């Protein structure tokens, strides 16, 4: 009989690694099958957002973020003449408790996650094996059987309760589900050059887009000591002509980079595409990361969206395996993640259309509009209005108002700030722990029934009473914390609520005020999680 595990992950890039750690830390047995014998040694993505950093921290990687990454800082767009078209301040409020964007060296991040997984008793990794067959049987336990082969033709037979495809844009698992990518029709080839400088130069701004119709180009941080330069392929150029060392050094002169002061570590031409899968799961097969969506890099949301998938999926699979949820939670996963990621893809495409403009007349018109907006903002002493690639969830496992829409702040990312309890202080997740959180200003003993306590305990819920910042932490009772940064009490006040139920992936399920409304909120969540009867 093949070795059995709770979850089998196909693909061991950053999303597969993160999902494996999140599940294993919940006590689930995880098997990973990866076709490549070794991790790819060069960076692809160069940044993740604050929510991604928070999810990495939940997987035990948070303390390493400063070693493999650095705050991205300001993001500046200029035209060919060096005039500012757009300035995105890198010092925005840290909603998730981490920098809004972290520039990182991807191989170092993957090495840290792989090292942690190697010491985890719940994770088994099979490198050098390619999945060639997936069979779902009709037995009561719903086993999925997976066949993988080595290049020599040796077979590896495995079985799992659930299979997740984190196997990239050409996903085998997605094909097994029977769904394809919906292509948004936006694609451009860009030459990517990864460079290490030896002259001690600094970069201000740290991240720069040059919207030059003669050659759209980019200079961004790729983590401490590493730099990424990108150049768009123009009409009349072939990929073969562009993708040479000589071509790289010629183009790098545009940024005053030469072999005398720098090392070109690698170069490659990527075709940036945009699209997402229509169906993210079928039966016991699920997809995440690039297997479910691809996008241009201009909003910096590619890797972050994959991390978001992992966070949303880990707690759902854990609840399914525990018999605490019905299969509808994966319908919710598809609904909320597909809708959420399409906004990021659309914004990435819209930014790409601005950057990739090679018609001089259209580029001049663009410059006039964007410069005027920047000048008006400067005169008013404000920043130009900016749409965020991140939006609240609008579908899925959320508390809905009678009109069928999420009842705000349901669907919003819950803030993370510093709290104190006894002689300890730090970020909320580090002090309280992970999982469902019931955050309240009321006495839980007067707020909840015995049945509520039993249900919440079964979910592993942290019940936290939040106290005002002036409270002495040494006088807190068990379950009480002090709101050091004055974040949580204003958050509840703005929602006209005393209590919030927060999901394990840090999104607000819903809020309520008073014992009756809180119990109704919990009853609704209980019903939504177990919409179909599941044997415990």
């Amino acid at each position: 009989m093949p070795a059995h595990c709770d979850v089998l992950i196909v693909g061991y890039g950053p999303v597969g690694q993160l999902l494996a750690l999140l599940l294993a830390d919940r006590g689930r047995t995880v098997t990973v099958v990866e076709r490549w014998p070794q991790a790819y040694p060069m960076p692809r993505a160069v940044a993740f957002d604050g929510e991604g950093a928070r999810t990495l921290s939940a997987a035990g990687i948070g303390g390493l973020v400063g070693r493999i990454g650095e705050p991205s800082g300001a993001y500046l767009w200029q035209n060919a003449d060096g005039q500012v078209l757009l300035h995105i301040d890198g010092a925005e409020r840290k909603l998730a408790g981490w920098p809004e964007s972290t520039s990182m060296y991807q191989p170092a991040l993957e090495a840290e996650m792989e090292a942690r997984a190697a010491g985890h008793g719940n994770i088994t990794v099979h490198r050098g094996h390619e999945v060639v067959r997936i069979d779902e049987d009709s037995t009561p336990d719903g086993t999925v059987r997976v066949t993988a082969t080595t290049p020599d033709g040796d077979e590896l037979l495995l079985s799992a309760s659930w299979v997740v495809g984190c196997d990239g844009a050409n996903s085998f698992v997605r094909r097994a589900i029977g769904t394809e990518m919906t292509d948004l029709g936006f694609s451009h080839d860009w030459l990517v050059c990864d460079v290490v400088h030896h002259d001690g130069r600094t970069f201000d701004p740290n991240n720069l887009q040059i919207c030059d119709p003669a050659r759209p180009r980019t200079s961004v941080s790729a983590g401490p000591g590493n730099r990424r330069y990108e150049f768009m392929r123009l009409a009349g150029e072939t990929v073969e002509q562009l993708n040479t060392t000589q071509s790289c050094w010629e183009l790098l002169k545009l940024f005053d980079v030469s072999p005398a002061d720098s090392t070109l570590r690698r170069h490659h031409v990527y075709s940036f595409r945009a699209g997402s899968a229509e169906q993210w799961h079928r039966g016991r097969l699920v997809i995440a990361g690039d297997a479910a969506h691809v996008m241009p890099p201009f909003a910096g949301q590619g890797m972050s969206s994959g991390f978001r998938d992992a966070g949303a999926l880990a707690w759902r699979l854990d609840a399914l395996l525990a018999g605490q949820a019905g299969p509808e939670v994966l319908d919710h996963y598809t609904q909320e993640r597909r809708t959420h990621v399409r906004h990021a893809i659309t914004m990435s495409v819209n930014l790409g259309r601005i950057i990739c403009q090679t018609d001089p007349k259209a580029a001049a018109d663009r410059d006039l509009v964007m410069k005027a907006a920047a000048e008006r903002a400067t005169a008013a002493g404000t920043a130009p209005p900016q749409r965020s690639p991140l939006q609240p969830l609008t579908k899925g496992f959320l508390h809905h108002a009678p009109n069928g829409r999420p009842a705000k702040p349901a669907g919003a990312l819950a803030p993370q700030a510093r709290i104190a309890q006894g002689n300890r202080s730090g970020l909320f997740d580090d002090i309280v722990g992970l999982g469902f959180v019931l955050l309240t200003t009321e006495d839980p003993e007067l707020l909840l029934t015995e049945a509520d306590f039993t249900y919440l305990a079964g979910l592993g819920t942290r019940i936290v009473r939040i106290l005002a910042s002036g409270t002495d932490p040494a006088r807190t009772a068990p379950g009480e914390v002090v709101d050091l940064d004055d974040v949580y009490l204003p958050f509840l006040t703005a929602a006209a609520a005393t209590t919030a139920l927060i999901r394990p992936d840090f999104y607000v399920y819903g809020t309520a005020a008073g014992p009756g409304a809180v119990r109704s909120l919990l009853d609704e969540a209980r019903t939504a999680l177990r919409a179909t009867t599941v044997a415990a």
Side-chain angles (χ1 to χ4, degrees):
M1 294 294 292
H4 185 81
C5 64
D6 292 326
V7 180
L8 188 146
I9 298 172
V10 183
Y12 205 39
V15 176
Q17 290 175 318
L18 179 58
L19 180 60
L21 290 171
L22 292 172
L23 286 166
D25 285 347
R26 287 171 163 85
R28 302 302 171 189
T29 55
V30 180
T31 296
V32 182
V33 180
E34 166 57 54
R35 64 180 297 194
W36 299 109
Q38 303 292 332
Y40 187 62
M42 290 294 165
R44 288 158 298 201
V46 294
F48 52 77
D49 62 18
E51 185 183 348
R54 188 176 184 181
T55 307
L56 286 169
S57 181
I61 307 297
L64 306 173
V65 168
R67 196 163 75 209
I68 58 93
E70 61 187 10
S72 297
Y75 183 27
L76 198 67
W77 291 25
Q78 295 177 347
N79 65 7
D81 297 326
Q83 297 169 316
V84 175
L85 303 179
L86 180 65
H87 181 273
I88 299 175
D89 186 359
E92 295 176 6
R93 184 169 64 91
K94 303 174 183 178
L95 175 65
W98 294 86
E100 290 298 305
S101 177
T102 295
S103 298
M104 55 85 205
Y105 187 61
Q106 183 176 337
L109 173 63
E110 291 191 45
E112 297 287 5
M113 287 198 282
E114 189 156 14
R116 182 161 191 269
H120 207 304
N122 288 341
I123 299 176
T124 302
V125 180
H126 298 284
R127 281 195 173 273
H129 291 77
E130 183 174 2
V131 173
V132 296
R133 181 168 178 169
I134 297 176
D135 298 297
E136 293 180 82
D137 64 31
S138 57
T139 58
D141 65 356
T143 298
V144 185
R145 300 183 185 276
V146 175
T147 304
T149 62
T150 67
D152 296 329
D154 296 331
E155 282 194 346
L156 175 67
L157 302 179
L158 302 162
S159 72
S161 298
W162 298 91
V163 171
V164 182
C166 299
D167 47 343
N170 298 315
S171 170
F172 183 89
V173 178
R174 187 182 68 240
R175 295 197 300 273
I177 288 174
T179 190
E180 295 296 330
M181 285 280 194
T182 298
D183 196 316
L184 299 186
F186 181 84
S187 178
H188 286 281
D189 294 333
W190 282 65
L191 171 67
V192 170
C193 303
D194 287 316
V195 172
V196 175
H197 294 294
H198 308 300
D199 55 1
R201 70 178 68 189
T202 59
F203 298 90
D204 184 19
N206 203 21
N207 299 285
L208 179 64
Q209 291 283 358
I210 305 292
C211 302
D212 180 359
R215 177 73 73 178
R217 55 194 182 270
T218 305
S219 168
V220 294
S221 168
N226 296 277
R227 197 77 188 163
R228 164 72 55 85
Y229 298 94
E230 300 172 353
F231 305 91
M232 182 176 155
R233 183 174 69 86
L234 303 177
E237 287 181 325
T238 67
V239 170
E240 292 74 21
Q241 290 171 334
L242 189 62
N243 193 27
T244 68
T245 302
Q246 181 179 355
S247 177
C248 290
W249 286 120
E250 283 298 316
L251 291 170
L252 285 167
K253 290 179 182 177
L254 294 169
F255 291 104
D256 193 26
V257 176
S258 74
D261 53 40
S262 307
T263 298
L264 177 63
R265 298 194 64 187
R266 70 114 187 203
H267 58 85
H268 188 75
V269 174
Y270 283 95
S271 182
F272 297 147
R273 295 186 296 136
S276 64
E278 288 299 315
Q279 192 173 348
W280 290 38
H281 95 95
R282 177 183 59 77
R284 289 177 172 263
L285 308 182
V286 196
I287 53 176
D290 285 356
H293 47 78
V294 292
M295 69 187 76
F298 306 115
Q301 282 297 302
M303 177 179 282
S304 297
S305 295
F307 286 173
R308 210 166 278 114
D309 299 342
L313 193 52
W315 72 265
R316 287 176 161 90
L317 291 175
D318 181 53
L320 282 163
L321 289 161
Q324 296 169 337
E328 282 77 6
V329 293
L330 291 182
D331 294 331
H332 295 157
Y333 167 73
T334 296
Q335 292 165 6
E336 72 182 38
R337 292 299 310 126
R338 184 177 61 197
T339 303
H340 201 237
V341 81
R342 281 182 177 174
H343 173 81
I345 294 172
T346 300
M347 185 170 179
S348 297
V349 169
N350 290 339
L351 291 173
R353 294 191 194 282
I354 295 172
I355 295 165
C356 299
Q357 181 56 256
T358 56
D359 178 80
K361 175 63 170 62
D365 292 341
R366 171 203 64 197
D367 293 354
L368 284 174
V369 172
M370 295 186 72
K371 283 191 298 180
E375 289 167 1
R376 285 196 301 270
T378 300
T382 62
Q386 299 166 10
R387 289 192 68 197
S388 170
L390 307 181
Q391 297 292 306
L393 302 178
T394 57
K395 297 182 179 180
F397 178 64
L398 303 170
H399 171 53
H400 287 79
N403 62 8
R405 297 179 179 177
K408 292 182 179 181
L413 185 66
Q416 179 174 217
R418 294 181 310 123
I419 59 171
Q421 184 180 62
N423 61 359
R424 299 176 63 214
S425 64
L427 289 175
F428 187 94
D429 298 344
D430 296 333
I431 302 299
V432 170
L434 304 170
F436 278 97
V437 171
L438 190 73
L439 182 73
T440 185
T441 61
E442 302 189 57
D443 183 347
E445 295 294 336
L446 302 177
L447 186 66
L448 305 171
T449 66
E450 185 176 344
D452 293 330
F453 279 112
T454 301
Y455 174 67
L456 292 172
L459 283 180
T461 307
R462 317 284 181 167
I463 301 175
V464 180
R465 188 180 187 186
I466 193 80
L467 305 176
S469 59
T471 307
D472 182 359
R475 305 186 61 161
T476 55
E480 294 180 341
V481 301
V482 177
D483 186 5
L484 292 179
D485 294 332
D486 288 320
V487 166
Y488 295 100
L489 290 175
F491 167 73
L492 290 171
T493 299
T498 61
T499 305
L501 179 62
I502 301 171
R503 305 179 343 179
D505 55 0
F506 315 122
Y507 282 87
V508 178
Y509 170 78
T511 58
V518 170
R519 290 166 193 163
S520 295
L521 184 73
L522 294 179
D523 287 343
E524 181 192 81
R526 182 186 295 113
T527 301
L529 276 178
R530 295 182 59 88
T532 296
T533 302
V534 179

